Structure formats: C-alpha cells, structure tokens
Amino acid sequence: MRTADRQARTKANRFIVTIRVSAMFTKVLIANRGEIAVRVMRACREMGIASVAVFSDVDRASLHVSTADEAYLLGPAPARESYLNVAKILEVARKSGAEAIHPGYGFLSESARFASACSEAGIKFIGPPPSAMELMGSKTRARAAMQAAGVPMVPGSARGLSVAEAEAMAAKVGYPVMIKAAAGGGGKGMRLVTKAADLRSSFETAQSEALRSFNDGEIYLEKFIQNPRHIEIQVLGDEHGNVVYLGERECSVQRRHQKVIEEAPSAIVDGGMRGRMGAVAVQAAKSAGYTNAGTVEFLVDADRNFYFLEMNTRLQVEHPVTELVTGLDLVHLQLRIANGEKLPFGQEDLHLRGHAIECRIYAEDPDNNFFPSPGKITKLVCPSGPGVREDSGVYEGWTVPLDYDPMLSKLIAYAPDRATAIARMRRALDEYFVGGIKTNLSLFRRILEHPDFISARLDTGFLDRLLATAASPGSGKNELAEIAAVSAALFAATAPSRNGQNGTAKPGGERQTDSSAWKRTARSEGVGSE
C-alpha cells in the first residue's frame, strides 16, 4: 500500500472512531421551507436524525412538511408571523424535543439575535457563533475588520457615511462609485452612481430602501469596478480552530445583483490564484472567529486582481456545485461540526474534480419583467440521467404561494469538464417541464446558448446585456422542448386522477393516510394552544 493511501486510510479511521464516540443529535428542527428544508431533512435521515418541520398556513401541503418526521404550524402566511417568529420557533423546538436548529438560508439564517436566542434556550444553532454573525453581517464592520486583517479591499469607506461624506469620498476614489446599505443583501439599498450630480438623490433613495428592508439606514461607498467577475470561496471551520477552503464558485451571471447561474470551479481561476484567494478567505474566517459553513465573496477585475466584497454567514443556495466538485456533503459536515466534531480532513486532502453548473428555477415570467407566477403546478416532468441533480421543494398538484421567494428548485449538472457540463445542462433543461405556471426555464436555455457564456467571457453585467437584446426567433424553445411540452400536455389531459376515497396522493404518487408515520409522531397545529 502506498504511503499516501495509508495516511488517508488512517485519517478516515480516526474520523470513524470520532463518529462512534460522539453522541450525535437525535432530533433537529429546520427553521425554513421549500427546497432547502427538504435538503437538510434528507441529510438528517441519512445520519439517523429525526427532522422537525415548521410551516405557515399556506404551506400545509408543502413538500418539506410531508418529508419531515414531525411538522408544526407556526401561524399565518406573512413571514413575520411564521418563519421569522423566533418565540414560536423556539416553542416548537422545546415541545418537539429538538436539540438543534438548522436555519437553512434566508429568513433567520443570518440573524445573530436568533442564534443567541437558541443558545439561551439550550438549543444548538447549526451555524456560526453570534459574534461572527454580528461582525460579518454588517458590511461596514466587516470591511473594517478585514482591512485590519490585511485582506485586499475595494477602495472606499469602512464605515457608514453622511451624504456630504459620501460626496467627498466619491471625489477621492473617483467615479463611478457604488453606494450600499451596510445591512443589505439581494441588491436592496444598492445604487450605481456615475457622476457627482446624481450622488445625493441616489444616496437618499438607497437609504430609504435600506430603512424599509432592513430597518437600518447606514450607507457606505465603494469604488465601482468596471465589468468585474463575482467569485466566492466556500470555507468550513470546526469549533477546534481548524478552517479550510473548498475551492471557488463563479457567480457572475446575475440579475439585479442576485445570482442566476453558479459554477464550480471558475474558468479563470488557476491553481495559484485559487490558493491565494483561499488563503485570504481562511484568514478572513479566522479573524472573525468563524465556525461552520460560510462563504467569502470577492470581486475580480480584468487583471485578475481580487477584492473582498462580503461574507455570507450561512449555507449558500449554490452549495451543491461545491459538493459535486469536492465529493463532500456540506450539510452532513455542518451537523458534525455543530456536534463538536473536528474536521476529518486538512487542506492538503481537498482536491477539485470535474465541473458543475447550477440553475435556479423560479416561478416567474422572464417575458413579463420576471413577474412572479404563483399557482397550481398541473404537470411536472423532472430531468434525470447521468450527472443531473435536482434539489426541489415542489411536486405536481402543489400550489405555489405568492407569499415567499418563488424558487421552485435548483437544477445542477456535473461532468468531467465545463463543455460537457454545459451540454448536460442543456439536455436537462430540455427534459424539464412545469405546467400551470410560468418559469424561467427559457431564460436558461438562452443563456447556455450564448457564445459569451460558452466561452466563459463573463462579468456581472453579462445577463443585463443579454436581456437588453431581443431574443432571436425560437430562442429558448428548440424542437425538443416543444415536443416535450406537447407530450406533457397530452399526458396531463389523459392521465387518470390520483385521488381516491381512502386518502390523497403524496408527492410521487404514494398514498397517504391518517396513519402515516409523521402524522402519528406529531403533526401538531396551534403550538401551545391546547
């Protein structure tokens, strides 16, 4: 046996021993909904952990509810009365006997207040400590901390500014500049300013939007980097001081500062650049006292210089592409880290292989300014085959509500190289059909056919430029897609009903009765109302 093989086997054996002697959580509550809740529940089931779902009134029939071992009603549809109701979620955790809470992403996932409340209640928060969330959750505090740690920064302010200070800073770094909300995310409270005459009005508009969205009007300013790429590094840290990076993700295909397609690895990052970016990301995580899964985001200019942008203190939507190129399960690792276990590998053990691409499938109409398209899914044909993964939160017959983010699923293609991954994704998109509502599937077909995407000539303005041009006749609706749509419609019209008198059909056609396991365990509605 080779020395390297012996060392790898010894390390694996040590990890097995650690697993056997550590008492893993027996029950975890997932404080989220949709595809990420289902994703975490599947990981729990694989590890022998019972899962607890929470749901709002409009989510009673959601996939994550029937996937869980137990499910509890939180309240009405508005998020502040359900998925953002900290007191109610903690009450459910106590009532169900959950020892830990996984927040998924969105909602309370980056709330230091929620993480602290979990700790005070004696419940493990599966994520970073509140101190790290507070530091990195504020863009200005994060910039100041990273500047002090020697992390490369985009020129600009490290604190909130007044309008007058912003005008002076913009004159110093030079136009164009970007003004941003310190507590922002998802493009809210963010404005590009190209000349001095527009700064005051843009500042006031961004500040007003930030107050509405985050109850925090702090605004800072950065030099705008022309045509940057958005590249992020996945980091993972245990509670024993070990931190590693798991390669990069290319996230430059964006609309209104929100990611649309993600890839791993990036076509422009070589081994040397990856090592430099990874070292900076690890340095940033360690300086913040960070543990569990997180992402350090960078802007990369035309000369391949990279600058710290922000840190996301949670599991990312796009984590599957990293899982596929590293061979790791990030949710499994999150659970083990939260359980106090050490990372079972070091940086030298991590190697990337192949290429993965993810498309975010939304219930929205790209031909009508991406207007949300709630409603009943009358027919669903999901892609499959070699190298195709779908993380979904929906099923045929389910009604997509208007109350939340309209993401339906994430479609991921994996192959030995980027060209094959693109071909595989195009094939998978041709197999995908969602009836009854509008989706953005046609947009992805158009993107993946574009010469600039195929050749990886990307920057954060790529999609805006593509959308500004008229779609060519037949764009996004090739012959295979049209055949699939017609076939699916005929199938839907002729298929017999799945409903019967003795129960309703579960997603996938399996019959569900009142004696199902999760109902017997505890589908309690109106927690604390008995």
Side-chain angles (χ1 to χ4, degrees), residues 19-30:
I19 294 172
R20 287 173 179 167
V21 301
S22 299
M24 177 52 72
F25 306 119
T26 59
K27 187 179 290 188
V28 171
L29 184 149
I30 296 85

Side-chain angles (χ1 to χ4, degrees), residues 323-511:
E323 292 185 322
L324 289 170
V325 298
T326 60
L328 300 172
D329 189 307
L330 292 185
V331 180
H332 279 209
L333 288 165
Q334 280 193 293
L335 291 163
R336 297 200 183 284
I337 289 168
N339 192 49
E341 299 175 18
K342 291 184 178 181
L343 288 174
F345 44 73
Q347 192 65 60
E348 69 281 0
D349 303 305
L350 297 169
H351 305 283
L352 305 185
R353 70 200 196 295
H355 196 93
I357 301 175
E358 174 180 295
C359 295
R360 302 186 183 194
I361 313 302
Y362 280 88
E364 60 186 15
D365 186 358
D367 297 323
N368 185 24
N369 199 30
F370 294 87
F371 199 76
S373 180
K376 185 177 182 179
I377 298 176
T378 57
K379 186 64 185 174
L380 182 63
V381 179
C382 298
S384 59
V388 174
R389 166 177 167 178
E390 186 201 21
D391 285 14
S392 175
V394 304
Y395 59 90
E396 186 177 310
W398 184 61
T399 298
V400 180
L402 185 60
D403 308 87
Y404 311 112
D405 182 275
M407 180 184 286
L408 303 176
S409 67
K410 301 180 309 196
L411 182 62
I412 309 102
Y414 173 77
D417 54 68
R418 187 173 186 268
T420 309
I422 291 174
R424 187 161 280 171
M425 177 62 83
R426 291 172 66 176
R427 184 266 296 170
L429 289 167
D430 286 340
E431 293 179 6
Y432 214 150
F433 178 82
V434 185
I437 60 172
K438 298 284 187 178
T439 71
N440 59 346
L441 285 169
S442 62
L443 173 65
F444 292 116
R445 297 186 184 105
R446 189 177 169 193
I447 292 171
L448 267 68
E449 292 169 359
H450 197 282
D452 284 351
F453 183 86
I454 293 170
S455 60
R457 293 193 300 268
L458 300 174
D459 60 69
T460 55
F462 162 79
L463 186 53
D464 288 336
R465 294 192 299 272
L466 183 147
L467 292 173
T469 62
S472 59
S475 176
K477 295 197 300 182
N478 60 34
E479 185 179 0
L480 287 175
E482 291 179 344
I483 292 172
V486 172
S487 300
L490 289 172
F491 184 86
T494 57
S497 171
R498 292 184 179 181
N499 291 335
Q501 297 180 350
N502 298 322
T504 58
K506 288 179 65 178
E510 181 183 344
R511 300 190 67 77

Side-chain angles (χ1 to χ4, degrees), residues 89-102:
I89 290 171
L90 292 177
E91 184 182 349
V92 170
R94 286 190 293 265
K95 182 170 183 176
S96 65
E99 302 148 291
I101 293 179
H102 193 301

